[in-house]
Amino acid sequence: MAAQTILFDFTLDKDKTADEEARQQVAKILRNELEHLFPQLELAYSMESPENGYFAVLHENKDTVVTCRIFQHGLLTLNVEYFLPDGKEPLISFDAMRTVELILRQKFDSDRSKYLPPIKRGGYIDIYMTSSDERIIEYDIDKVVYEGRSPFQKIQIMHSKTLGNMLLLDELQNIAESDLIYTETLMCRGVENYEGKEICILGGGDGALLYELLKENPKHVVMLEIDELVMQTCNKYLSVICGDVLEKRKTDQYEIVVGDCVEYLKKFIGEGRKFDYVFGDLTDIPITDVPEGETWDFIRTIFEHSFKVLKPDGKYLTHGNGSTCKVQLRLFEEQLNLLRPKVKFTTTKAFVPSFMEEWLFYQVTFA
Amino acid sequence: MAAQTILFDFTLDKDKTADEEARQQVAKILRNELEHLFPQLELAYSMESPENGYFAVLHENKDTVVTCRIFQHGLLTLNVEYFLPDGKEPLISFDAMRTVELILRQKFDSDRSKYLPPIKRGGYIDIYMTSSDERIIEYDIDKVVYEGRSPFQKIQIMHSKTLGNMLLLDELQNIAESDLIYTETLMCRGVENYEGKEICILGGGDGALLYELLKENPKHVVMLEIDELVMQTCNKYLSVICGDVLEKRKTDQYEIVVGDCVEYLKKFIGEGRKFDYVFGDLTDIPITDVPEGETWDFIRTIFEHSFKVLKPDGKYLTHGNGSTCKVQLRLFEEQLNLLRPKVKFTTTKAFVPSFMEEWLFYQVTFA
């Protein structure tokens, strides 16, 4: 079940939109052309204003509704909306829409126009996600593979035709089968040497980092993940990126502890246990302009405890945020700069397929 | 100069949308809530239909126009549109929109809702592109670096914050600074051995393929590109991916011939000149369901001539299409199957950052 909204816009000469009479002319041309596409189109309502131009509602049997605005600055927007029952073909084909755009562009003598593919609204599967800098990205998701709720979060596995299975936590994209580059950039594969090293992963419930680290022959990896259901889900649906590491909870090479990582870090601090590498693979940086509130507190707490279990030459590796999120990245770095003893950091970045954007990663050491 | 269109939708219980009275109730709730955001909101027009539900137009001083539909199938769509002059802040912040969504969701007792970031309409820079399977993707383009028109096509260099400079030909994304993976997958880097080989590139005006091939120490590369202005443009703005190979037209290692590749292929056939590799780096596969018309004819012509200049153990390497475009890829393969002598092919694929989708590449040899 979904409604379809199709958006067109046309840039017009300003003299075509400057006053009521000119706008009426344009509206008339528009109606004439739309009648070819919608033979029973009726004008239901229109309004005019010297400051805000022309607005009209047209419809065909109250089913397909077309709204049009002619802004006096030289812009016409056209929105077409109708209900598309499941399994039915769209009312208007892509070719027909392109043709409408081209014909209107010509009739309006417009030198710039745009049509967007239909926006599908109300569908059970949400195919529109938003990048970290608030851009719309439509995914080729064709199936909900799994949906569940743990005590901590909503867990979904969606299937994308090109990205494979995708893990969403609380409706945010986390990792997909396509995203080996994410794990490799987080761990700086080829740069860091993990052989014989002791490693602690905070979070990492999707298992991808553990799986890749074990290929590098470390001495031991301990992973502290709070959400049992995330691990069960990823074990079942994301084995392309996590192999079978989530099958067992303890081997000679690694141990997965189900629990609050802060509690376990405190325990390690008490025991004097130290690691060569600590990975922060927990929730994303909060997208907020002010470094306060629970999430930033949580991030600071994680930093503080992590550095207390790091060997003097150890490294803390973590993901940052979309590389266009300058403000949030600066706030993140400010948190790092508050740490005592002082730390210094480098960054790496990669275009992560399932995020459809470039992501930044941090490597932090004692200064 | 741009208009902003903000789209919300809410899934409602069917009994809330089943008849006129129920829909009026929902519409009343909506108006009450919207008045918090738009204090001077007026109801300008509404219509009702047993089959097609409720539709209303509300506005604030004819400036911000809100249209709402309540479909009897249990879906409410809400479209907000207003004009945003250059340099002005949006009328409604992201936070305010999220709040509206959450409050309305609660008031409607809805278990599914969606808000899309504002769609910017009428801007001089087109930030919305469409994937090969007609999905909307919003790019982080912030600047038109170059715009020109050759006898063959419109040429643009756009700057993306994360993808770097992007080459667009006739408004279609071609290659960007982020896309080394495109060239590496096309040439099967690490699998094919180009050392000492003779190579012919058809097209390739962006210079990226030539640049990468020369790193592999071939005997000689000849590149046949028709569009001088594309090469000048890429030499100036895409040197990250093409180095300085477009600076010179002839060295001991390579020669760039400006002209129609079919004419030159005919010349090579006449001379009996043969290559180890021919690269088809020309226009994309046409996105059409029927294998006819000029572009398919062109592709067939290219195939036929290319195989006549290939050594018996030579390879023809080319890009295909988005990996979700099953129909078009099948048509492409049908063209290959028509060739005599017979050919066989393998494929490789990669997620190309600037395409924001997975792309398929072909490796064709004599059967």
Side-chain angles (χ1 to χ4, degrees), chain A residues 198-214:
Chain A
E198 289 177 284
I199 303 169
C200 178
I201 301 174
L202 313 178
D206 55 67
L209 178 59
L210 178 58
Y211 183 52
E212 296 305 326
L213 282 171
L214 291 177

Side-chain angles (χ1 to χ4, degrees), chain B residues 159-177:
Chain B
H159 181 263
S160 147
K161 288 186 213 167
T162 51
L163 305 167
N165 281 347
M166 304 165 64
L167 170 68
L168 282 88
L169 297 178
D170 284 340
E171 299 182 354
L172 286 176
Q173 173 49 22
N174 221 269
I175 197 164
E177 289 183 343

Side-chain angles (χ1 to χ4, degrees), chain B residues 43-305:
Chain B
L43 176 66
Y45 176 76
S46 71
M47 64 182 183
E48 247 291 331
S49 133
E51 302 80 34
N52 293 302
Y54 174 87
F55 170 82
V57 178
L58 303 105
H59 67 87
E60 206 174 38
N61 306 320
K62 301 184 182 175
D63 180 0
T64 299
V65 174
V66 179
T67 60
C68 157
R69 282 190 80 169
I70 305 173
F71 296 95
Q72 76 274 33
H73 321 80
L75 177 66
L76 183 150
T77 60
L78 185 68
N79 307 351
V80 178
E81 191 169 313
Y82 66 94
F83 193 83
L84 183 66
D86 279 340
K88 286 258 175 136
E89 280 299 302
L91 191 62
I92 315 165
S93 71
F94 288 123
D95 285 348
M97 284 184 286
R98 288 224 179 82
T99 307
V100 167
E101 185 199 349
L102 291 175
I103 290 174
L104 284 173
R105 185 170 176 160
Q106 193 184 17
K107 294 276 175 186
F108 294 148
D109 196 17
S110 160
D111 61 0
R112 197 217 129 264
S113 66
K114 180 72 184 173
Y115 116 87
L116 289 175
I119 296 171
K120 288 75 119 184
R121 305 170 75 182
Y124 177 69
I125 300 179
D126 186 8
I127 55 174
Y128 299 99
M129 291 196 225
T130 304
S131 68
S132 62
D133 55 339
E134 298 282 350
R135 287 179 287 117
I136 296 175
I137 297 169
E138 182 177 347
Y139 281 71
D140 59 353
I141 293 172
D142 56 359
K143 208 165 58 185
V144 180
V145 176
Y146 170 83
E147 227 170 35
R149 190 173 279 281
S150 77
F152 308 100
Q153 52 206 337
K154 183 173 173 186
I155 302 166
Q156 292 168 299
I157 300 284
M158 299 283 190
H159 181 263
S160 147
K161 288 186 213 167
T162 51
L163 305 167
N165 281 347
M166 304 165 64
L167 170 68
L168 282 88
L169 297 178
D170 284 340
E171 299 182 354
L172 286 176
Q173 173 49 22
N174 221 269
I175 197 164
E177 289 183 343
S178 55
D179 297 347
L180 176 60
I181 188 77
Y182 179 97
T183 304
E184 292 196 321
T185 313
L186 170 60
M187 67 189 270
C188 303
R189 172 161 274 164
V191 175
E192 296 298 330
N193 179 6
Y194 294 102
E195 194 164 344
K197 299 292 166 64
E198 289 177 283
I199 303 170
C200 178
I201 301 174
L202 313 178
D206 56 65
L209 178 59
L210 177 59
Y211 183 52
E212 296 305 326
L213 282 171
L214 292 177
K215 294 178 183 171
E216 312 243 337
N217 205 20
K219 184 174 172 193
H220 191 262
V221 185
V222 59
M223 177 171 131
L224 310 173
E225 167 61 48
I226 203 165
D227 201 332
E228 174 66 41
L229 188 58
V230 165
M231 291 193 282
Q232 286 175 16
T233 306
C234 294
N235 184 40
K236 192 158 176 189
Y237 300 109
L238 282 178
S239 59
V240 167
I241 55 165
C242 67
D244 59 356
V245 296
L246 299 171
E247 280 286 330
K248 292 183 195 144
R249 290 298 142 86
K250 198 170 192 300
T251 71
D252 287 349
Q253 261 204 312
Y254 68 90
E255 180 178 3
I256 298 173
V257 180
V258 184
D260 179 351
C261 70
V262 176
E263 292 312 306
Y264 281 88
L265 283 174
K266 283 180 182 163
K267 184 170 161 281
F268 295 160
I269 293 167
E271 296 167 357
R273 188 169 172 184
K274 299 271 183 181
F275 298 92
D276 297 291
Y277 291 96
V278 174
F279 282 92
D281 197 12
L282 296 155
T283 51
D284 285 340
I285 298 183
I287 300 212
T288 164
D289 292 353
V290 187
E292 56 187 36
E294 278 183 34
T295 320
W296 283 109
D297 288 346
F298 180 62
I299 287 178
R300 258 197 307 266
T301 302
I302 295 292
F303 282 167
E304 284 162 8
H305 289 74

